[in-house]
Amino acid sequence: MVIYFSQRDVVIPGQLLAKGMYRLGDNVYRIGQSIYATTIGLAELRDNTVNVIPLKGCYVPHVGDLVIGLVVDVSLTSWTVDIASPYTALLQVNDAFSKPIDPLKENLRKYFDVGDYIVANVIAFDKTRDPLLSTKEPPCGKIEKGTVVEISPTKIPRLIGKRGSMISIIRKELSCQIMAGRNGRIWVYSKNPSYEEIAVKVIKKIEQEAHVAGLTDRVKEMIRRLRR
Amino acid sequence: MLVRKEVKPLRLIDEDGLRTDGRRVDELRNIKIDVGVLKNADGSCYLEIGRNKVMAAVYGPREVHPRHLALPDRAILRCRYHMVPFSVLERKSPNPTRREIELSKVIREALEPALFLEYFPRTTIDVYIEILQADGGTRTAGISAAAVALADAGIPMRDLVTAIAVGKADGHIILDLNDLEDKYGEADMPVAMMPNLGSITLLQADGEFTPEEFKEALNLAMKGIREVYAKQREALRRRYLKVREEVEGSV
């Protein structure tokens, strides 16, 4: 039972993290007794589990995730949606709205057209088939106003913070609406356009400094400075 | 750099035991590694070793085009090793040569065991290696750069891959051959390894070694690989520690 890193150290793939009967968290693997990191990230030991918080990486869909997608194609009965992932998603008509729509009588472009951003839930995905989306439940649907910012999907947990602490700071201090998709796209809207701009800057800063301690205080300070 | 005419040296190792560029037999050339140099790539790396200059870019995992190449149970790895026309003294045609096509395959096979390709079925990971300036040992420089770029892209890996060449010149076993030693020496053996796991992913050899010489050469290669690995590791960590330092410095 030996640990070869200090808490929240930057580790690289193949780095030996620990030896012994630790449990495996995310982004680590085991050969015999030795535990190694698989991605560049921050190493952590919590409750006997060795874990690496990734600093880079792509978005892999999970059922139940809220994502923000970009409509790239419209077919007779479905929309093809880019969800900033290696897998493009599909939104079928019967998963889009609670009211029944007859695709023979109506043009689907009336609802979502190419270039529209939509908020959606992932309802099915198993890596053998492309993910399916649904826009039935709120807050899903077409994005009509505000800005969509794109950051690395690995930084989304940091943006949200512990029990939503970080995101609620932005929401309160800048009195804006904000929704973070698991795929790294974030929607912000504020009645005051300059606050929207500040929110975008703050989100970019969080992405940049996600791995540096004391981020919450720096974010607060930054908002205060920019609001003046 | 001045364009110099190549002259065949009288000997590769002089009476002081120094090589044509002044190195000792077990010495590497200077290495410089920069991570994340390309904005549009998912991961990238610029590597210099002596007069070699290599740029590696990684894209992916992403959708495979053409579609029929995709595998249902894992990602595919595609690799391109390419020398730019101005990388050598005489202009090289930009078309992929027989040599470049073969090296692309060999490099792909050197990198493949390090990746968890089964994590991303039906996708592709594309690696582009451009040799901007060549002076012997570009395939090994390319592998080392590509491994750093893959790690920078956040692709799950068992270990980094590090490569270096060893060889024989004037009867001595030498580390990290330059162009002259490659051309006029007696043997050349590029080696790629996953240094933490101790497994070799590439071993080629050109020329003749006795079994003893082979062992000595392989041990020397492992020593070189440890040194290059330290540089790779430092470059990757520096990318993120730099942000940390800037922030902590400004407080």
Side-chain angles (χ1 to χ4, degrees):
Chain A
M1 301 286 276
V2 206
I3 288 283
Y4 294 96
F5 62 91
S6 48
Q7 204 73 287
R8 296 184 78 77
D9 216 356
V10 176
V11 294
I12 61 165
Q15 190 170 334
L16 180 64
L17 298 180
K19 270 186 184 163
M21 298 309 292
Y22 293 102
R23 273 190 308 178
L24 297 185
D26 294 333
N27 304 303
V28 294
Y29 75 104
R30 180 199 293 279
I31 297 178
Q33 288 286 299
S34 311
I35 297 171
Y36 301 92
T38 67
T39 39
I40 187 158
L42 306 177
E44 241 187 11
L45 177 70
R46 201 181 278 169
D47 312 327
N48 219 29
T49 306
V50 181
N51 195 33
V52 172
I53 305 161
L55 287 168
K56 277 273 201 111
C58 67
Y59 170 67
V60 177
H62 286 283
V63 174
D65 281 358
L66 185 81
V67 296
I68 295 177
L70 178 66
V71 177
V72 289
D73 199 8
V74 186
S75 79
L76 195 63
T77 55
S78 65
W79 292 269
T80 308
V81 185
D82 165 45
I83 52 166
S85 156
Y87 307 98
T88 42
L90 203 67
L91 172 63
Q92 287 171 328
V93 192
N94 20 351
D95 294 323
F97 301 101
S98 340
K99 64 162 187 177
I101 293 170
D102 186 354
L104 291 174
K105 288 182 188 145
E106 285 182 278
N107 187 354
L108 294 192
R109 286 180 195 269
K110 212 170 73 189
Y111 300 98
F112 303 135
D113 202 355
V114 172
D116 286 347
Y117 277 110
I118 57 167
V119 179
N121 276 313
V122 179
I123 51 168
F125 179 61
D126 62 359
K127 284 193 183 177
T128 62
R129 281 196 209 173
D130 281 338
L132 293 179
L133 301 179
S134 159
T135 53
K136 274 183 182 168
E137 317 250 309
C140 294
K142 186 165 150 183
I143 291 174
E144 313 265 10
K145 53 192 179 180
T147 323
V148 173
V149 206
E150 201 160 337
I151 66 167
S152 167
T154 54
K155 308 283 168 70
I156 289 293
R158 193 70 195 86
L159 174 78
I160 293 169
K162 275 191 195 113
R163 271 182 254 112
S165 58
M166 186 72 88
I167 205 163
S168 57
I169 288 173
I170 305 176
R171 197 174 281 143
K172 256 183 234 148
E173 301 277 318
L174 293 169
S175 57
C176 61
Q177 285 171 278
I178 181 164
M179 202 156 30
R182 280 282 146 188
N183 59 341
R185 291 205 182 116
I186 302 139
W187 171 76
V188 254
Y189 170 71
S190 173
K191 282 191 182 129
N192 183 344
S194 64
Y195 277 15
E196 208 168 282
E197 260 169 55
I198 296 173
V200 172
K201 277 182 192 151
V202 169
I203 291 165
K204 289 281 176 200
K205 185 190 173 75
I206 294 172
E207 182 189 21
Q208 268 286 305
E209 301 177 6
H211 60 292
V212 188
L215 184 57
T216 318
D217 294 336
R218 287 200 306 283
V219 164
K220 276 186 189 157
E221 202 273 329
M222 184 187 180
I223 293 175
R224 222 165 289 143
R225 183 160 42 84
L226 289 177
R227 222 170 26 178
R228 245 178 262 142
Chain B
M1 194 188 75
L2 284 169
V3 177
R4 295 160 303 114
K5 254 214 149 152
E6 188 181 302
V7 242
K8 184 183 172 184
L10 289 170
R11 51 192 176 178
L12 291 166
I13 296 177
D14 66 13
E15 59 274 8
D16 301 326
L18 294 179
R19 290 150 72 175
T20 49
D21 47 13
R23 280 183 292 158
R24 279 173 276 109
V25 288
D26 63 343
E27 206 175 336
L28 289 173
R29 288 172 281 187
N30 283 331
I31 301 177
K32 183 186 148 203
I33 306 180
D34 282 328
V35 183
V37 285
L38 301 175
K39 193 170 134 264
N40 289 327
D42 293 312
S44 57
C45 171
Y46 173 73
L47 183 145
E48 279 183 24
I49 174 158
R51 285 204 296 259
N52 288 306
K53 294 179 179 168
V54 181
M55 184 83 88
V58 170
Y59 297 84
R62 62 178 177 184
E63 249 174 70
V64 193
H65 287 289
R67 267 274 160 76
H68 69 267
L69 293 176
L71 297 176
D73 59 336
R74 62 195 169 96
I76 58 169
L77 177 67
R78 293 190 290 196
C79 231
R80 183 174 93 140
Y81 165 97
H82 181 244
M83 294 174 88
V84 296
F86 51 83
S87 62
V88 274
L89 293 183
E90 187 91 17
R91 180 184 186 273
K92 186 208 146 284
S93 158
N95 305 334
T97 57
R98 194 190 144 89
R99 172 179 173 276
E100 285 168 290
I101 295 167
E102 181 185 321
L103 284 185
S104 301
K105 171 192 176 283
V106 158
I107 291 173
R108 188 189 74 227
E109 287 171 357
L111 296 172
E112 226 164 16
L115 300 171
F116 289 97
L117 291 176
E118 61 277 17
Y119 286 8
F120 305 104
R122 299 185 297 127
T123 63
T124 177
I125 296 166
D126 294 333
V127 178
Y128 297 92
I129 299 165
E130 290 292 330
I131 308 300
L132 307 176
Q133 187 170 294
D135 186 40
T138 54
R139 83 189 65 187
T140 52
I143 291 172
S144 303
V148 172
L150 283 163
D152 179 43
I155 292 163
M157 300 167 83
R158 290 183 178 83
D159 197 354
L160 292 185
V161 183
T162 314
I164 203 73
V166 282
K168 201 165 79 174
D170 295 352
H172 292 77
I173 299 293
I174 53 173
L175 179 65
D176 187 18
L177 281 71
N178 64 28
D179 196 39
L180 292 175
E181 291 161 342
D182 185 18
K183 276 190 185 129
Y184 305 112
E186 292 114 72
D188 170 26
M189 181 168 83
V191 183
M193 270 183 83
M194 294 193 272
N196 290 310
L197 307 181
S199 41
I200 292 171
T201 63
L202 169 89
L203 186 77
Q204 296 181 303
D206 185 4
E208 282 175 22
F209 291 98
T210 63
E212 290 72 36
E213 279 172 343
F214 172 77
K215 270 180 205 150
E216 190 190 336
L218 194 60
N219 281 328
L220 187 60
M222 289 188 193
K223 172 189 167 280
I225 280 172
R226 275 195 298 277
E227 286 176 40
V228 179
Y229 177 73
K231 298 269 185 186
Q232 286 176 307
R233 181 187 159 152
E234 207 242 338
L236 277 168
R237 282 169 56 91
R238 193 173 54 221
R239 168 127 204 247
Y240 290 96
L241 293 177
K242 207 173 83 193
V243 181
R244 191 176 277 185
E245 273 161 26
E246 275 168 14
V247 170
E248 275 157 13
S250 69
V251 172

